[in-house]
Amino acid sequence: MPFLNDMIEQNQRQRDQHRALNHENAAPHNVVQAHLRHQSALQSRYRFDVSTIMATLRGEILGQDPALQAVEDILKVVRADITDPRRPLFTALFLGPTGVGKTEIVRALARALHGDADAFCRVDMNTLSQEHYAAALTGAPPGYVGAKEGTTLLDQDKLEGTQGRPGIVLFDELEKASDEVIQALLNVFDNGMLTVASGERTYSFRNTLIFMTSNLGARDIQHYDERRARFPRSLLPGRRDRRHHHIDKLVRGKLLKAFSPEFVNRIDTTITFNWIEADIVEQLVALEIQRLNQRLIKHHCHLDVDPKVVSFLARQGFDRQFGARSLRRGVRRHLEVPLAEYLLRHHHPCDNGDTPTAYWARLENQRVVFLPL
Ligand SMILES: Nc1ncnc2c1ncn2[C@@H]1O[C@H](COP(=O)(O)OP(=O)(O)OP(=O)(O)O)[C@@H](O)[C@H]1O
C-alpha cells in the first residue's frame, strides 16, 4: 500500500537524520544537510518579501548592480532571521562619487519596507563634528550643552523599526565624524546598544540596518578617471570591471588610512558605487520624469514627454562629475519651471475638481504635453 510505504520511508529517513546528527564523526556538511531537512518551516519574525522589495529597488536605482546585490544579500539574511541578536542586523558602508545613488538607495529601501522614503533616521556626521552635537551621540556629562540633545538627533521609532520590519539608520558623510563619535559607533557595532545623554536614554540597534555613506577617495577616483579618459578605449563597457576593481582598491586604501582597522573590520559590507555612465543617462532622465509625474498626481496632471526630449535633456544636462544631480537640474529648468508657471496660472486650489485644459509646449522642436488626468 502506498500509504504504508510512505510511512516506512519517512521513518527510515528520520532515523537516518537522527543518526547523522548524533554521529560523532559525521562530516559537518552532512549534519547541516540533515538538520535542514528536519526543519519544515521558516520561523522568522520578519514580514516582508525580498523579491518584491528588490523589484522596487531595481526600478529606482540604475547602474549600481553591486550595491543592489549587497542590499539583496542583507535582506535575505535578515528575512531568514538568522542574524546575531546581540548586534545590529547589518552594517554597510557606501563609498564613491557624489550624486550616484548612495543616499537614494536607502530612501528607496525605506519606501519599499515602510511605505515612506523618509522612514529612516538620518544622522549628518557633518553636524556631529561640532563638539556639542557629538556629545548628544556619545553621552555628555549632566549639565553639558549636549546632554539633552539625544532626543532630537536620533529618531527612536525609525531607528528601532517594528517587530516585523527592521529600522533603518543612515550615518551620512562618515569621514566628517569625530573620534568620539567613531568610538560610539564602534560600540554600537559590537553590542547593538547606545546610551546617550548621560545614561538617560538607551537606543537599541539590534533590529536596525545601519548604512553609512562617505565621499572618501572621490577626488582620487576623479583624477584616476580623468587620466583614463585620455585613452577612450579604457572607458569602453568591456573595461569597466577592471576600472571598478582599481577604483575599489583605491577607495579601500583611503578608508584604512582614515579609520582604524578595528572600525573597518566591524563593517559587514563595503561597496564602492560606480560613476553614472553615459549609457544610462537617458534612463535616469526618464526616471526623473516618472518621479515628477508621481508628484503631479495630486494636481491631477500628467506629463507626457517625447523620447527626443528625453535625449535632449540627457545630452545637455549630464555632467559625470556631478552624477545624477546635474540631470535633475536640467529637468527642473526645462520641465518643472514651465509646468509650475502653468499650474500657478491655470490651476487654482478653488477649482473644485475642475481639471486644467491640456497644455503643450515645444522643447527642441519636440512636444512636451501636459495632460489633465
Ligand atoms: N543610480 C541612481 N539611480 C537613480 N537615481 C539616482 C541614481 N543616482 C542618483 N540618482 C538621483 O540623484 C539624486 C542624488 O543622489 P544621491 O542623494 O543618492 O547622491 P549620493 O550618491 O548620496 O551623493 P552625495 O555623496 O553627494 O550625498 C537622487 O535623489 C536621485 O534622484
Side-chain angles (χ1 to χ4, degrees), residues 10 143 353 361:
Q10 192 183 348

Side-chain angles (χ1 to χ4, degrees), residues 297-309:
I297 290 175
K298 68 172 183 242
H299 299 294
H300 307 285
C301 317
H302 178 83
L303 185 68
D304 198 16
V305 179
D306 192 288
K308 285 185 185 152
V309 173

Side-chain angles (χ1 to χ4, degrees), residues 29-147:
H29 177 71
N30 291 342
V31 173
V32 170
Q33 276 198 348
H35 189 63
L36 277 180
R37 255 188 265 131
H38 200 67
Q39 301 271 334
S40 57
L42 173 71
Q43 295 292 320
S44 171
R45 70 188 175 95
Y46 291 105
R47 299 276 167 272
F48 60 83
D49 180 44
V50 177
S51 20
T52 310
I53 289 182
M54 287 316 298
T56 311
L57 258 61
R58 290 207 162 88
E60 303 253 327
I61 304 295
L62 307 177
Q64 302 296 358
D65 291 346
L68 287 166
Q69 187 57 56
V71 172
E72 182 168 5
D73 293 348
I74 292 172
L75 291 178
K76 280 181 186 162
V77 178
V78 172
R79 177 65 181 87
D81 206 353
I82 53 172
T83 56
D84 183 343
R86 291 155 307 166
R87 296 182 65 233
L89 294 175
F90 236 93
T91 45
L93 172 61
F94 293 156
L95 298 156
T98 180
V100 294
K102 300 189 294 297
T103 310
E104 192 61 26
I105 201 169
V106 179
R107 287 170 54 79
L109 180 61
R111 190 167 30 234
L113 264 177
H114 299 288
D116 176 6
D118 292 318
F120 67 96
C121 171
R122 185 173 186 161
V123 182
D124 184 355
M125 293 304 195
N126 200 14
T127 317
L128 276 182
S129 60
Q130 294 164 31
E131 203 186 348
H132 65 284
Y133 281 115
L137 197 73
T138 55
Y144 189 79
V145 65

Side-chain angles (χ1 to χ4, degrees), residues 13-14 23 33 41-42 65 76 100 126 143 154 170 174 181 185 193 227 229-230 236-237 264 277-278 310 316 325 344:
R13 255 202 319 270
Q14 279 175 355
H23 198 289
Q33 276 198 348
L42 173 71
D65 291 346
K76 280 181 186 162
V100 294
N126 200 14
L154 296 171
L170 173 67
L174 186 69
V181 170
L185 283 185
M193 303 300 273
R227 282 202 308 276
R230 287 187 217 133
L236 289 173
V264 176
E277 300 289 354
V310 174
Q316 72 85 229
R325 283 209 183 87
L344 291 173

